[in-house]
Coordinates of all heavy atoms in Angstrom, one line a residue:
M215 N 22.2 10.5 5.6 CA 21.3 11.6 5.8 C 21.7 12.7 4.7 O 22.8 13.1 4.7 CB 21.4 12.2 7.2 CG 20.2 12.9 7.7 SD 18.8 11.9 7.6 CE 17.9 12.4 9.0
P216 N 20.7 13.1 3.9 CA 21.0 14.1 3.0 C 21.3 15.5 3.6 O 20.8 15.8 4.7 CB 19.7 14.2 2.1 CG 18.7 13.5 2.8 CD 19.4 12.6 3.9
G217 N 22.1 16.3 2.9 CA 22.4 17.6 3.4 C 21.3 18.6 3.2 O 20.3 18.3 2.6
P218 N 21.5 19.9 3.8 CA 20.5 20.8 3.6 C 20.2 21.3 2.2 O 19.1 21.7 1.9 CB 21.0 22.0 4.5 CG 22.4 21.7 4.8 CD 22.6 20.3 4.6
A219 N 21.2 21.2 1.4 CA 21.0 21.7 0.0 C 20.1 20.7 -0.8 O 19.2 21.1 -1.5 CB 22.3 21.8 -0.7
S220 N 20.3 19.4 -0.6 CA 19.4 18.5 -1.2 C 18.0 18.5 -0.7 O 17.1 18.3 -1.4 CB 20.0 17.1 -1.2 OG 20.1 16.6 0.2
R221 N 17.8 18.7 0.6 CA 16.5 18.9 1.2 C 15.8 20.1 0.7 O 14.6 20.0 0.3 CB 16.6 19.0 2.7 CG 17.0 17.7 3.4 CD 16.9 17.9 4.9 NE 17.6 16.9 5.6 CZ 18.3 17.0 6.6 NH1 18.5 18.1 7.1 NH2 19.0 15.9 7.1
A222 N 16.5 21.2 0.5 CA 15.9 22.4 0.0 C 15.5 22.2 -1.5 O 14.5 22.6 -1.9 CB 16.9 23.6 0.1
A223 N 16.3 21.5 -2.2 CA 16.0 21.2 -3.7 C 14.8 20.3 -3.8 O 13.9 20.6 -4.6 CB 17.2 20.5 -4.4
A224 N 14.7 19.3 -2.9 CA 13.6 18.4 -2.9 C 12.3 19.2 -2.5 O 11.2 19.0 -3.2 CB 13.8 17.2 -2.0
L225 N 12.4 20.0 -1.5 CA 11.2 20.9 -1.1 C 10.8 21.8 -2.2 O 9.6 21.9 -2.5 CB 11.6 21.6 0.2 CG 10.5 22.6 0.7 CD1 9.3 21.7 1.1 CD2 11.0 23.4 1.9
L226 N 11.8 22.4 -2.9 CA 11.5 23.3 -4.0 C 10.8 22.5 -5.1 O 9.8 23.1 -5.7 CB 12.7 24.0 -4.5 CG 12.6 25.0 -5.7 CD1 11.7 26.1 -5.4 CD2 13.9 25.4 -6.2
A227 N 11.2 21.4 -5.4 CA 10.7 20.6 -6.5 C 9.2 20.2 -6.2 O 8.3 20.3 -7.0 CB 11.5 19.3 -6.7
W228 N 8.9 19.8 -4.9 CA 7.5 19.6 -4.5 C 6.7 20.8 -4.6 O 5.5 20.7 -5.0 CB 7.5 19.0 -3.1 CG 7.8 17.5 -3.1 CD1 8.9 16.9 -2.7 CD2 6.9 16.5 -3.6 NE1 8.7 15.5 -2.8 CE2 7.5 15.2 -3.4 CE3 5.6 16.4 -4.1 CZ2 6.9 14.0 -3.8 CZ3 5.1 15.3 -4.5 CH2 5.7 14.1 -4.3
V229 N 7.2 21.9 -4.1 CA 6.4 23.2 -4.1 C 6.1 23.5 -5.6 O 4.9 23.9 -5.9 CB 7.1 24.3 -3.4 CG1 6.5 25.6 -3.7 CG2 7.2 24.0 -2.0
L230 N 7.0 23.4 -6.5 CA 6.8 23.8 -7.9 C 5.8 22.8 -8.5 O 4.9 23.2 -9.3 CB 8.1 23.7 -8.7 CG 9.1 24.9 -8.4 CD1 10.4 24.7 -9.2 CD2 8.4 26.2 -8.8
L231 N 5.9 21.5 -8.2 CA 5.0 20.5 -8.7 C 3.5 20.8 -8.2 O 2.6 20.8 -9.1 CB 5.4 19.1 -8.2 CG 4.4 18.0 -8.6 CD1 4.5 17.7 -10.1 CD2 4.7 16.7 -7.9
L232 N 3.4 21.1 -7.0 CA 2.0 21.5 -6.4 C 1.5 22.7 -7.0 O 0.3 22.8 -7.2 CB 2.1 21.5 -4.9 CG 2.3 20.1 -4.2 CD1 2.5 20.3 -2.7 CD2 1.2 19.1 -4.6
V233 N 2.3 23.7 -7.2 CA 1.8 25.0 -7.6 C 1.5 25.0 -9.2 O 0.5 25.6 -9.6 CB 2.9 26.1 -7.3 CG1 2.5 27.4 -8.0 CG2 2.9 26.3 -5.8
L234 N 2.4 24.3 -9.9 CA 2.2 24.4 -11.4 C 1.4 23.3 -11.9 O 1.0 23.3 -13.1 CB 3.7 24.3 -12.0 CG 4.6 25.5 -11.7 CD1 6.0 25.2 -12.3 CD2 4.0 26.8 -12.1
A235 N 1.0 22.3 -11.1 CA 0.1 21.3 -11.6 C -1.3 21.8 -11.9 O -1.8 22.7 -11.1 CB 0.0 20.1 -10.6
P236 N -1.8 21.4 -13.0 CA -3.2 22.0 -13.4 C -4.2 21.5 -12.4 O -4.3 20.3 -12.1 CB -3.4 21.5 -14.8 CG -2.5 20.4 -15.0 CD -1.4 20.6 -14.1
A237 N -5.0 22.4 -11.9 CA -6.1 22.0 -10.9 C -7.2 21.2 -11.6 O -7.8 20.5 -10.9 CB -6.7 23.3 -10.3
G238 N -7.4 21.3 -12.8 CA -8.4 20.6 -13.5 C -8.1 19.0 -13.5 O -9.0 18.2 -13.5
A239 N -6.8 18.7 -13.4 CA -6.5 17.3 -13.4 C -6.9 16.6 -12.1 O -7.2 15.4 -12.1 CB -5.0 17.1 -13.6
A240 N -7.0 17.4 -11.1 CA -7.4 16.8 -9.8 C -8.9 16.8 -9.5 O -9.4 16.4 -8.5 CB -6.7 17.6 -8.7
A241 N -9.6 17.4 -10.4 CA -11.1 17.5 -10.3 C -11.7 16.1 -10.4 O -11.4 15.3 -11.3 CB -11.7 18.5 -11.3
A242 N -12.7 15.9 -9.6 CA -13.4 14.5 -9.6 C -14.5 14.6 -10.7 O -15.4 15.4 -10.6 CB -14.0 14.2 -8.3
R243 N -14.4 13.8 -11.7 CA -15.4 13.8 -12.7 C -15.4 12.4 -13.4 O -14.4 11.7 -13.3 CB -15.1 14.8 -13.7 CG -13.8 14.7 -14.5 CD -13.6 15.9 -15.5 NE -12.4 15.7 -16.2 CZ -11.1 15.9 -15.7 NH1 -11.0 16.4 -14.6 NH2 -10.1 15.8 -16.5
Q244 N -16.5 12.1 -14.0 CA -16.5 10.8 -14.7 C -15.7 10.8 -15.9 O -15.7 11.8 -16.7 CB -17.9 10.4 -15.1 CG -18.8 9.9 -14.0 CD -20.1 9.4 -14.5 OE1 -20.7 9.8 -15.5 NE2 -20.7 8.5 -13.8
T245 N -14.9 9.8 -16.1 CA -14.0 9.7 -17.2 C -14.3 8.6 -18.2 O -13.7 8.4 -19.2 CB -12.5 9.6 -16.7 OG1 -12.5 8.4 -16.0 CG2 -12.1 10.7 -15.9
G246 N -15.3 7.8 -17.9 CA -15.7 6.7 -18.8 C -16.6 5.7 -18.2 O -17.3 6.0 -17.2
S247 N -16.7 4.5 -18.7 CA -17.6 3.6 -18.3 C -17.2 2.9 -17.0 O -18.0 2.1 -16.5 CB -17.8 2.6 -19.4 OG -16.6 1.8 -19.6
A248 N -16.0 3.1 -16.5 CA -15.6 2.5 -15.3 C -16.1 3.1 -14.0 O -15.6 2.8 -12.9 CB -14.1 2.4 -15.3
D249 N -17.0 4.0 -14.2 CA -17.6 4.7 -13.0 C -19.0 4.2 -12.6 O -19.6 4.8 -11.8 CB -17.6 6.2 -13.2 CG -16.2 6.8 -13.4 OD1 -15.3 6.3 -12.7 OD2 -16.0 7.6 -14.2
G250 N -19.4 3.2 -13.2 CA -20.8 2.7 -13.0 C -20.9 2.0 -11.6 O -19.9 1.6 -11.1
P251 N -22.1 1.8 -11.2 CA -22.3 1.1 -9.9 C -21.8 -0.4 -9.9 O -21.3 -0.9 -8.9 CB -23.8 1.1 -9.7 CG -24.4 2.0 -10.7 CD -23.3 2.3 -11.7
A252 N -21.9 -1.0 -11.1 CA -21.4 -2.4 -11.1 C -19.9 -2.4 -11.0 O -19.4 -3.4 -10.4 CB -21.9 -3.1 -12.4
D253 N -19.2 -1.5 -11.6 CA -17.8 -1.4 -11.5 C -17.3 -1.2 -10.1 O -16.3 -1.7 -9.6 CB -17.2 -0.4 -12.4 CG -17.5 -0.8 -13.9 OD1 -17.3 -2.0 -14.2 OD2 -17.9 0.1 -14.7
V254 N -18.0 -0.3 -9.4 CA -17.7 0.0 -8.0 C -17.9 -1.2 -7.1 O -17.1 -1.5 -6.3 CB -18.5 1.2 -7.5 CG1 -18.4 1.4 -6.0 CG2 -18.2 2.5 -8.2
A255 N -19.0 -1.9 -7.4 CA -19.3 -3.1 -6.6 C -18.2 -4.2 -6.9 O -17.8 -4.9 -6.0 CB -20.7 -3.7 -7.0
L256 N -17.7 -4.3 -8.1 CA -16.7 -5.2 -8.5 C -15.4 -4.9 -7.7 O -14.7 -5.7 -7.2 CB -16.5 -5.3 -10.0 CG -15.3 -6.2 -10.4 CD1 -15.7 -7.6 -10.2 CD2 -15.1 -6.0 -12.0
A257 N -15.1 -3.6 -7.7 CA -13.9 -3.2 -7.0 C -14.0 -3.4 -5.5 O -13.0 -3.9 -4.9 CB -13.6 -1.7 -7.3
V258 N -15.1 -3.2 -4.9 CA -15.3 -3.4 -3.5 C -15.2 -5.0 -3.2 O -14.5 -5.4 -2.2 CB -16.6 -2.9 -3.0 CG1 -17.0 -3.4 -1.6 CG2 -16.6 -1.4 -3.0
G259 N -15.8 -5.8 -4.0 CA -15.7 -7.2 -3.9 C -14.3 -7.8 -4.0 O -13.9 -8.6 -3.2
L260 N -13.6 -7.3 -5.0 CA -12.2 -7.7 -5.2 C -11.3 -7.3 -4.0 O -10.5 -8.0 -3.6 CB -11.6 -7.2 -6.5 CG -12.2 -7.8 -7.8 CD1 -11.6 -7.2 -9.0 CD2 -11.9 -9.3 -7.8
T261 N -11.6 -6.1 -3.5 CA -10.8 -5.6 -2.3 C -11.1 -6.5 -1.1 O -10.1 -6.8 -0.4 CB -11.1 -4.1 -2.1 OG1 -10.8 -3.4 -3.2 CG2 -10.3 -3.6 -0.9
C262 N -12.3 -6.8 -0.9 CA -12.7 -7.7 0.2 C -12.1 -9.1 0.1 O -11.6 -9.7 1.1 CB -14.2 -7.8 0.3 SG -15.0 -6.2 0.9
A263 N -12.1 -9.6 -1.1 CA -11.5 -10.9 -1.4 C -10.0 -10.9 -1.1 O -9.5 -11.8 -0.5 CB -11.8 -11.4 -2.8
A264 N -9.3 -9.8 -1.5 CA -7.9 -9.7 -1.3 C -7.6 -9.6 0.2 O -6.7 -10.2 0.7 CB -7.4 -8.5 -2.1
A265 N -8.4 -8.8 0.9 CA -8.2 -8.7 2.3 C -8.5 -10.0 3.1 O -7.7 -10.4 4.0 CB -9.2 -7.6 2.9
L266 N -9.5 -10.8 2.6 CA -9.7 -12.1 3.2 C -8.6 -13.0 3.0 O -8.1 -13.8 3.9 CB -11.0 -12.7 2.7 CG -11.4 -14.1 3.2 CD1 -11.7 -14.0 4.6 CD2 -12.6 -14.6 2.4
A267 N -8.1 -13.1 1.7 CA -7.0 -14.0 1.4 C -5.7 -13.6 2.2 O -5.0 -14.5 2.7 CB -6.7 -13.9 -0.1
T268 N -5.5 -12.3 2.3 CA -4.3 -11.9 3.1 C -4.4 -12.3 4.6 O -3.5 -12.8 5.2 CB -4.1 -10.3 3.0 OG1 -4.0 -10.0 1.6 CG2 -2.9 -9.9 3.8
G269 N -5.6 -12.1 5.1 CA -5.9 -12.5 6.5 C -5.7 -14.0 6.8 O -5.1 -14.4 7.7
L270 N -6.2 -14.8 5.8 CA -6.1 -16.2 5.9 C -4.6 -16.6 5.8 O -4.1 -17.5 6.5 CB -6.9 -17.0 4.9 CG -8.4 -16.9 5.1 CD1 -9.2 -17.5 3.9 CD2 -8.8 -17.5 6.4
W271 N -3.9 -16.0 4.9 CA -2.4 -16.3 4.7 C -1.7 -16.0 6.0 O -0.8 -16.7 6.5 CB -1.9 -15.5 3.6 CG -0.4 -15.7 3.4 CD1 0.3 -16.8 2.9 CD2 0.6 -14.7 3.7 NE1 1.6 -16.5 2.9 CE2 1.8 -15.3 3.4 CE3 0.5 -13.4 4.2 CZ2 3.0 -14.6 3.5 CZ3 1.7 -12.7 4.3 CH2 2.9 -13.3 4.0
L272 N -2.0 -14.8 6.6 CA -1.2 -14.4 7.8 C -1.6 -15.3 9.0 O -0.7 -15.7 9.8 CB -1.6 -12.9 8.1 CG -1.0 -11.9 7.3 CD1 -1.6 -10.6 7.6 CD2 0.5 -11.9 7.4
R273 N -2.9 -15.8 9.0 CA -3.2 -16.7 10.1 C -2.5 -18.0 10.0 O -2.0 -18.6 11.0 CB -4.7 -16.9 10.1 CG -5.2 -17.7 11.3 CD -6.7 -17.9 11.3 NE -7.1 -18.8 10.3 CZ -8.4 -19.2 10.2 NH1 -9.3 -18.7 11.0 NH2 -8.7 -20.1 9.3
A274 N -2.4 -18.5 8.7 CA -1.7 -19.8 8.5 C -0.2 -19.6 8.8 O 0.4 -20.5 9.4 CB -1.9 -20.2 7.1
R275 N 0.3 -18.5 8.5 CA 1.7 -18.3 8.7 C 2.0 -18.2 10.3 O 3.0 -18.7 10.8 CB 2.2 -17.0 8.1 CG 3.6 -16.7 8.2 CD 4.0 -15.5 7.4 NE 5.3 -15.1 7.8 CZ 5.9 -14.0 7.4 NH1 5.3 -13.2 6.7 NH2 7.1 -13.7 7.8
H276 N 1.1 -17.5 11.0 CA 1.2 -17.4 12.4 C 1.1 -18.8 13.1 O 1.9 -19.1 14.0 CB 0.1 -16.5 12.9 CG 0.2 -16.3 14.4 ND1 1.2 -15.6 15.1 CD2 -0.7 -16.8 15.4 CE1 0.9 -15.7 16.4 NE2 -0.2 -16.4 16.6
R277 N 0.2 -19.6 12.6 CA 0.0 -20.9 13.2 C 1.3 -21.8 12.9 O 1.7 -22.5 13.8 CB -1.2 -21.6 12.7 CG -2.5 -21.1 13.2 CD -3.7 -21.8 12.7 NE -4.9 -21.3 13.4 CZ -6.1 -21.7 13.0 NH1 -6.3 -22.7 12.1 NH2 -7.2 -21.2 13.6
R278 N 1.8 -21.7 11.7 CA 2.9 -22.5 11.3 C 4.1 -22.1 12.2 O 4.9 -22.9 12.6 CB 3.2 -22.3 9.8 CG 4.3 -23.1 9.3 CD 4.4 -23.0 7.8 NE 4.6 -21.6 7.3 CZ 3.8 -21.0 6.5 NH1 2.7 -21.6 6.1 NH2 4.0 -19.8 6.2
D279 N 4.3 -20.8 12.4 CA 5.4 -20.3 13.2 C 5.2 -20.7 14.7 O 6.2 -21.0 15.4 CB 5.5 -18.8 13.2 CG 6.1 -18.3 11.9 OD1 6.6 -19.1 11.1 OD2 6.0 -17.1 11.6
A280 N 4.0 -20.7 15.2 CA 3.7 -21.1 16.6 C 4.0 -22.7 16.7 O 4.5 -23.0 17.7 CB 2.3 -20.8 16.9
E281 N 3.6 -23.4 15.7 CA 4.0 -24.9 15.8 C 5.4 -25.2 15.8 O 5.9 -26.1 16.4 CB 3.3 -25.6 14.6 CG 1.8 -25.7 14.8 CD 1.1 -26.3 13.5 OE1 1.8 -26.7 12.6 OE2 -0.1 -26.4 13.5
A282 N 6.2 -24.3 15.1 CA 7.6 -24.5 15.0 C 8.4 -23.9 16.2 O 9.6 -23.9 16.3 CB 8.2 -23.8 13.7
G283 N 7.6 -23.4 17.2 CA 8.2 -22.9 18.4 C 8.8 -21.5 18.2 O 9.6 -21.0 18.9
G284 N 8.3 -20.8 17.2 CA 8.8 -19.4 16.9 C 10.2 -19.4 16.4 O 10.8 -18.4 16.5
R285 N 10.6 -20.4 15.7 CA 12.0 -20.5 15.2 C 12.0 -20.4 13.7 O 12.8 -21.1 13.1 CB 12.7 -21.7 15.7 CG 12.9 -21.8 17.2 CD 13.5 -23.1 17.6 NE 13.8 -23.1 19.0 CZ 15.0 -22.8 19.5 NH1 16.0 -22.6 18.7 NH2 15.2 -22.9 20.8
G286 N 11.2 -19.6 13.1 CA 11.2 -19.4 11.7 C 12.3 -18.5 11.3 O 13.2 -18.2 12.1
P287 N 12.4 -18.2 10.0 CA 13.5 -17.3 9.5 C 13.6 -16.0 10.2 O 14.6 -15.4 10.2 CB 13.2 -17.2 8.0 CG 11.8 -17.6 7.9 CD 11.4 -18.5 9.0
E288 N 12.5 -15.5 10.8 CA 12.5 -14.3 11.5 C 12.6 -14.5 13.0 O 12.4 -13.6 13.7 CB 11.2 -13.4 11.1 CG 11.2 -13.0 9.7 CD 9.9 -13.3 9.0 OE1 8.9 -13.7 9.8 OE2 9.8 -13.2 7.8
G289 N 12.8 -15.7 13.4 CA 12.8 -16.0 14.9 C 14.0 -15.5 15.5 O 14.1 -15.4 16.8
G290 N 15.1 -15.2 14.8 CA 16.2 -14.7 15.5 C 17.3 -15.7 15.8 O 18.3 -15.3 16.5
D291 N 17.2 -16.9 15.4 CA 18.3 -17.8 15.8 C 19.2 -18.1 14.5 O 19.2 -19.2 14.0 CB 17.8 -19.1 16.4 CG 16.9 -20.0 15.6 OD1 16.9 -20.0 14.3 OD2 16.2 -20.8 16.1
R292 N 19.8 -17.1 14.1 CA 20.8 -17.2 13.0 C 22.2 -17.3 13.5 O 22.6 -16.7 14.5 CB 20.6 -16.0 12.1 CG 19.3 -15.9 11.4 CD 19.2 -14.7 10.5 NE 17.9 -14.7 10.0 CZ 17.5 -14.0 9.0 NH1 18.4 -13.2 8.5 NH2 16.3 -13.9 8.6

């Protein structure tokens, strides 16, 4: 656990970063051609595909662990 001096230094660093950061950099504005509707649709589609792949992988892993009787590497019989 860090001591109070390091916590205060980290807090001071974050405060300075937030105060001194230019507000214009955080403004929402178009920055190029990547802001079109087709690009947004592509991003949404890729995110959905990644979520589906992750869900299928987790389901297969869960079934594999269930078939092994829950004795996988995380099953706790080490």
Side-chain angles (χ1 to χ4, degrees):
M215 203 59 145
S220 61
R221 285 188 199 137
L225 180 63
L226 178 64
W228 276 108
V229 168
L230 288 174
L231 177 70
L232 292 174
V233 169
L234 299 177
R243 62 185 182 277
Q244 281 192 330
T245 56
S247 63
D249 296 321
D253 296 317
V254 172
L256 178 65
V258 169
L260 288 175
T261 302
C262 289
L266 177 67
T268 303
L270 291 174
W271 175 74
L272 287 172
R273 186 175 77 173
R275 182 176 170 188
H276 177 72
R277 286 183 177 177
R278 187 173 54 240
D279 287 346
E281 288 174 1
R285 296 179 173 260
E288 293 133 8
D291 64 20
R292 294 182 185 192

